[in-house]
Amino acid sequence: MKLTTRIESQLLSKIATNDGHGENSSYFDGWKAYDSDPYHPTQNPHGVIQMGLAENQLCFDLVQEWVRNNPKASICTEEGVADFRDIAIFQDYHGLPQFRNAVARFMEKVRGNRVRFDPDRIVMSGGATGAQETLAFCLADPGDALLVPTPYYPGNDRDLTWRTGVKLVPVVCESSNNFKITRRALETAYKKAQESNIKVKGLLLNNPSNPLGTVLDRETLQESLNFITTKNIHLICDEIYSATVFTDPGFISIAELAQDNPDWNPDLIHIVYSLSKDLGFPGFRVGIVYSYNDDVVNCARKMSSFGLVSTQTQHLIAAMLSDVAFVERFLAEGSNRLGKRRGEMCSALGQVGIGSLKSNAGLYCWVDLRRLLKEASFEAEMELWRLIVHEVKLNVSPGASFHCDEPGWFRVCFANMDDETMGVAMSRIHRFVVQKNRSGAARKQCSRRELEISLSNRRRLDDVMAMSPHSPIPSPLVRARN
């Protein structure tokens, strides 16, 4: 260890000097590759295209139109400046009442108005990252664990564990059943934790899934609730992609099952939500904890003082989400545009024989590149990933960074760019796959020629061996010279 590093480790805390931030991952390495050489259609046309960012930019025009038509919603405009004093000086960690009410109504709308949300249970946080960590602090002690089905979002390793000391125990899901969560997989993970003397405090579900882009069906949600009830552990449902569903089957919130079945303990059920994905506002840092447990609500609200949403943002969001006509138009148009973009990308991939997991939600595809691997190993997956990032110049995310148990799967995002950039990205993929296919075909043809030569030589050797044992065997060096 270098002297400076040793001195720093003595001066700083363990949190400041450990690797709990999780950035030593290919997921974040891809981001660094993009940051150092970002694509631009004219200024840097050969740069890296960002396909590792799950961001929804397909409906920015609708939001911008609303902002132009509603200048009073901002305290930084001539029309809205009269509210500046009240908004600028007020910062209660309960949040503006109109903000909490608007978010509750929006959450209901996204869920088909099949459930009701109490505004007084809305706890704000600095994005879903802060909401996840807040729940981890509330539900588990350092050393305790949460079960998390794989593949799962790499940021969980940072958000839920770095500062809390909580562990994550993978629930291994497999491609053979489209990565469906099963009771057997849950029980296996729970038993493994027990054998390691790890106390399991909860199960974290991501619905719709990141990176799979699939929604959890009612049967899986019911089985998950049965499981946590039997074990008397918590259930955290991360529902931040709930409005990104673009085809059937529709999204089913854990809130629907919780309110319809009195046999389940509501104190064990918690929801994480945000506006980062559904509305495309990650920069606004609007995260939500919604819990049916009074103690969790009270504690989380106190903790929210460490990551509040600015009142200026609350003020604007409250006005926007209270516009029923805008919300209905945005949700409908957003669904259509996401479905169209995914269809275009999957069609383009299909033209070169690349498939993906069947899905109907999210801002990405779970793409199957197993046939492009040199061998079925994570080393081969990393080799392919480095080739795609540094030579093809596309930042896609390898399955290993999502804790996928099977090499060759990649998450490819499609909603964070315009049509022209998507066209460039698909052209690059086409060229890459065609070249891989040609080189593969050449290798196979070479192997066939080598096999034919080997067989031919074998036949000649057999003929020679059939001669008199005293017959001389011609030297291959002589044949070569001739």
Side-chain angles (χ1 to χ4, degrees):
M1 180 186 292
K2 294 181 179 179
L3 179 61
T4 54
T5 304
R6 190 162 57 245
I7 293 175
E8 286 176 358
S9 66
Q10 295 171 351
L11 291 175
L12 303 180
S13 70
K14 292 180 179 179
I15 287 182
T17 55
N18 68 21
D19 291 330
H21 51 74
E23 289 188 9
N24 295 328
S25 160
S26 53
Y27 175 78
F28 292 104
D29 286 343
W31 280 59
K32 294 170 187 174
Y34 167 76
D35 288 340
S36 64
D37 185 25
Y39 168 83
H40 188 277
T42 56
Q43 298 176 12
N44 191 21
H46 301 294
V48 177
I49 294 178
Q50 174 64 288
M51 304 188 83
L53 174 61
E55 189 170 78
N56 189 357
Q57 298 184 15
L58 299 185
C59 287
F60 273 179
D61 59 314
L62 302 183
V63 176
Q64 290 172 328
E65 178 187 359
W66 186 91
V67 171
R68 281 193 297 267
N69 294 336
N70 294 270
K72 198 174 187 301
S74 172
I75 59 174
C76 298
T77 63
E78 183 178 350
E79 292 83 355
V81 73
D83 295 322
F84 183 89
R85 178 183 295 273
D86 291 337
I87 297 302
I89 65 173
F90 180 78
Q91 184 69 325
D92 188 296
Y93 54 58
H94 285 74
L96 298 176
Q98 60 268 33
F99 167 77
R100 288 186 286 113
N101 185 70
V103 170
R105 302 292 81 81
F106 181 72
M107 292 173 65
E108 293 168 358
K109 179 67 178 178
V110 169
R111 290 151 184 78
N113 290 317
R114 296 183 296 273
V115 293
R116 296 292 293 173
F117 289 105
D118 183 354
D120 289 335
R121 291 190 177 278
I122 296 286
V123 180
M124 61 180 172
S125 179
T129 296
Q132 294 271 46
E133 185 185 61
T134 296
L135 275 177
F137 271 124
C138 290
L139 304 180
D141 292 314
D144 292 344
L146 299 175
L147 303 180
V148 190
T150 64
Y152 66 77
Y153 168 55
N156 286 343
D157 296 315
R158 172 199 61 203
D159 302 349
L160 290 156
T161 72
W162 187 19
R163 300 196 298 185
T164 65
V166 173
K167 301 177 183 294
L168 299 184
V169 175
V171 178
V172 179
C173 302
E174 301 171 340
S175 64
S176 57
N177 69 344
N178 296 324
F179 299 98
K180 185 180 177 67
I181 303 168
T182 65
R183 181 62 178 263
R184 180 179 180 180
L186 291 170
E187 293 287 358
T188 298
Y190 187 85
K191 182 179 179 181
K192 183 178 179 180
Q194 284 189 316
E195 291 172 348
S196 300
N197 294 318
I198 298 174
K199 185 177 183 180
V200 176
K201 294 299 294 290
L203 167 65
L204 171 64
L205 298 181
N206 184 212
N207 182 31
S209 168
N210 175 15
L212 301 179
T214 55
V215 295
L216 297 183
D217 56 34
R218 189 174 295 273
E219 176 187 11
T220 300
L221 290 172
Q222 289 176 337
E223 192 60 71
S224 299
L225 278 168
N226 291 337
F227 173 77
I228 65 107
T229 301
T230 300
K231 307 299 184 185
N232 194 35
I233 60 177
H234 295 276
L235 178 61
I236 303 172
C237 278
D238 178 345
E239 298 184 348
I240 67 173
Y241 289 96
S242 53
T244 68
V245 180
F246 41 82
T247 58
D248 291 332
F251 170 70
I252 302 174
S253 172
I254 196 65
E256 295 182 42
L257 279 71
Q259 74 175 14
D260 294 339
N261 194 326
D263 295 333
W264 289 317
N265 183 357
D267 284 343
L268 299 177
I269 301 173
H270 322 276
I271 296 173
V272 170
Y273 189 58
S274 82
L275 301 182
S276 298
K277 311 303 182 181
D278 284 355
L279 282 177
F281 291 170
F284 279 25
R285 310 308 302 150
V286 179
I288 299 296
V289 172
Y290 190 92
S291 177
Y292 294 91
N293 186 311
D294 292 339
D295 291 333
V296 170
V297 171
N298 291 333
C299 181
R301 182 155 288 143
K302 296 184 181 77
M303 286 186 174
S304 71
S305 60
F306 293 102
L308 293 172
V309 180
S310 74
T311 46
Q312 177 182 345
T313 298
Q314 292 183 53
H315 181 68
L316 176 65
I317 292 295
M320 183 180 294
L321 296 186
S322 297
D323 188 333
V324 176
F326 167 77
V327 169
E328 290 184 351
R329 181 190 176 201
F330 181 92
L331 292 177
E333 187 63 24
S335 176
N336 290 335
R337 294 183 187 184
L338 285 173
K340 180 182 178 183
R341 174 60 68 82
R342 184 195 184 279
E344 291 170 348
M345 190 177 87
C346 290
S347 176
L349 293 175
Q351 291 174 11
V352 287
I354 299 300
S356 60
L357 184 72
K358 183 179 180 181
S359 61
N360 68 321
L363 312 174
Y364 35 73
C365 285
W366 191 234
V367 177
D368 184 0
L369 298 183
R370 287 176 291 180
R371 73 176 184 85
L372 298 183
L373 299 180
K374 288 184 177 180
E375 60 182 18
S377 69
F378 286 107
E379 290 78 11
E381 177 181 281
M382 290 305 297
E383 182 179 347
L384 177 61
W385 171 77
R386 284 189 288 268
L387 191 62
I388 294 174
V389 172
H390 298 295
E391 295 191 23
V392 187
K393 297 295 188 76
L394 298 176
N395 175 31
V396 299
S397 306
S401 65
F402 289 83
H403 300 271
C404 184
D405 199 48
E406 182 178 340
W409 293 89
F410 288 73
R411 192 191 73 169
V412 182
C413 299
F414 57 74
N416 63 325
M417 64 191 76
D418 56 29
D419 292 338
E420 290 73 20
T421 304
M422 176 58 71
V424 174
M426 291 300 100
S427 295
R428 292 183 182 182
I429 291 176
H430 271 227
R431 287 195 299 270
F432 171 65
V433 175
V434 168
Q435 290 172 357
K436 289 280 288 184
N437 289 341
R438 286 175 180 170
S439 61
R443 284 195 300 270
K444 289 180 181 178
Q445 187 175 5
C446 181
S447 298
R448 283 198 298 269
R449 282 200 300 268
E450 291 173 352
L451 178 61
E452 290 169 358
I453 293 172
S454 176
L455 290 174
S456 177
N457 288 340
R458 179 63 190 176
R459 284 193 293 270
R460 283 197 292 270
L461 181 60
D462 289 343
D463 292 339
V464 169
M465 294 305 291
M467 299 179 187
S468 165
H470 302 292
S471 301
I473 299 176
S475 169
L477 293 177
V478 173
R479 287 201 306 272
R481 283 194 295 268
N482 292 336

